[in-house]
Amino acid sequence: EVQLQQSGPELVKPGASVKISCKTSGYTFTEYTMHWVKQSHGKSLEWIGGINPNNGGTSYNQKFKGKATLTVDKSSSTAYMELRSLTSEDSAVYYCARGGITTALYYYAMDYWGQGTSVTVSS
Amino acid sequence: DIVMSQSPSSLAVSVGEKVTMSCKSSQSLLYSSNQKNYLAWYQQKPGQSPKLLIYWASTRESGVPDRFTGSGSGTDFTLTISSVKAEDLAVYYCQQYYSYPFTFGSGTKLEIK
């Protein structure tokens, strides 16, 4: 069974950084792209970026360049997203979501999602 | 960026009724080389993560009830629920995966009368 288990809620101060994890199981981690999605309270979904766990190659939404950094640890089948210089605008729930196979020529929908990690930025 | 527009923003229906919701993209999502539409539908129930319902505009994800049907091509897409159940209470989002950055619609909130 494919599972994406995210780290717990975070309360961080303005200007600080936070690193969220997404531990996977049930499939070969390096074979599928991992995406990250933001959902502000009561709002829609925003794609932050995606990472190829096999080679670490990344693609970012221009809006989140400089804000988010995506990395992976292949040894533990875990994806990470670090958010820096946090402001109240970054308070949201963040999801990791599995995309298509990394060797595909085309993009794919996101078929498995983590449970979400709530980040609250407050002094 | 491709802009995704959904309508209506919300609708209230009775159990057993048929529901249709619309999603329009600012450019075609039909890829000529494989004739696939790069459009997905997700269901997000209160307090839960989004769940993939439909991909390639009309392919039902494994385990999704057949009362959910996706249709459309190019820039105009529809999600139909043939006979709504109380458990279908959720927000439904469309998403294009034709090109980066992936983009989502603003969602259609389905309420049960």
Side-chain angles (χ1 to χ4, degrees):
Chain A
E1 179 192 6
V2 173
Q3 291 190 334
L4 281 63
Q5 183 66 37
Q6 296 185 229
S7 48
E10 300 274 2
L11 174 60
V12 294
K13 295 190 185 308
S17 297
V18 68
K19 194 170 186 177
I20 300 168
S21 66
C22 173
K23 183 169 178 57
T24 71
S25 60
Y27 73 99
T28 303
F29 178 64
T30 53
E31 290 185 352
Y32 291 82
T33 302
M34 185 64 75
H35 298 284
W36 291 86
V37 175
K38 176 183 180 182
Q39 186 169 38
S40 301
H41 183 68
K43 299 282 183 64
S44 184
L45 303 157
E46 291 183 279
W47 180 78
I48 295 170
I51 185 166
N52 178 337
N54 191 42
N55 60 19
T58 53
S59 295
Y60 291 95
N61 185 334
Q62 185 68 30
K63 178 179 178 180
F64 293 95
K65 280 187 176 178
K67 171 63 66 177
T69 301
L70 307 184
T71 56
V72 298
D73 177 359
K74 289 192 281 187
S75 68
S76 63
S77 299
T78 302
Y80 297 92
M81 178 176 67
E82 182 173 22
L83 301 169
R84 57 177 164 273
S85 303
L86 291 166
T87 72
S88 59
E89 295 296 307
D90 300 312
S91 294
V93 175
Y94 293 88
Y95 295 100
C96 57
R98 194 182 79 164
I101 55 174
T102 54
T103 54
L105 295 177
Y106 309 113
Y107 299 134
Y108 287 82
M110 292 175 269
D111 59 356
Y112 289 91
W113 293 62
Q115 82 277 22
T117 295
S118 173
V119 173
T120 302
V121 182
S122 174
S123 55
Chain B
D1 298 1
I2 298 175
V3 176
M4 306 300 292
S5 302
Q6 288 188 246
S7 62
S9 57
S10 66
L11 68 166
V13 299
S14 300
V15 170
E17 284 189 27
K18 177 181 176 180
V19 162
T20 61
M21 56 190 77
S22 172
C23 173
K24 296 182 188 297
S25 57
S26 61
Q27 66 183 73
S28 177
L29 304 182
L30 179 63
Y31 201 57
S32 57
S33 64
N34 60 7
Q35 288 299 295
K36 289 184 182 292
N37 286 283
Y38 285 59
L39 187 282
W41 289 94
Y42 299 88
Q43 175 194 62
Q44 187 175 33
K45 294 184 177 180
Q48 295 186 17
S49 306
K51 171 189 172 184
L52 177 64
L53 290 179
I54 304 282
Y55 57 97
W56 303 133
S58 61
T59 302
R60 216 175 283 117
E61 174 73 332
S62 175
V64 172
D66 59 8
R67 64 179 182 275
F68 291 92
T69 301
S71 61
S73 183
T75 61
D76 290 277
F77 302 92
T78 300
L79 176 68
T80 301
I81 309 174
S82 59
S83 180
V84 168
K85 295 191 173 186
E87 67 204 50
D88 299 334
L89 166 72
V91 180
Y92 294 84
Y93 295 99
C94 61
Q95 178 234 338
Q96 66 80 17
Y97 50 101
Y98 184 92
S99 65
Y100 284 159
F102 292 168
T103 47
F104 294 84
S106 55
T108 292
K109 185 176 184 179
L110 178 62
E111 297 172 311
I112 309 298
K113 289 180 184 175

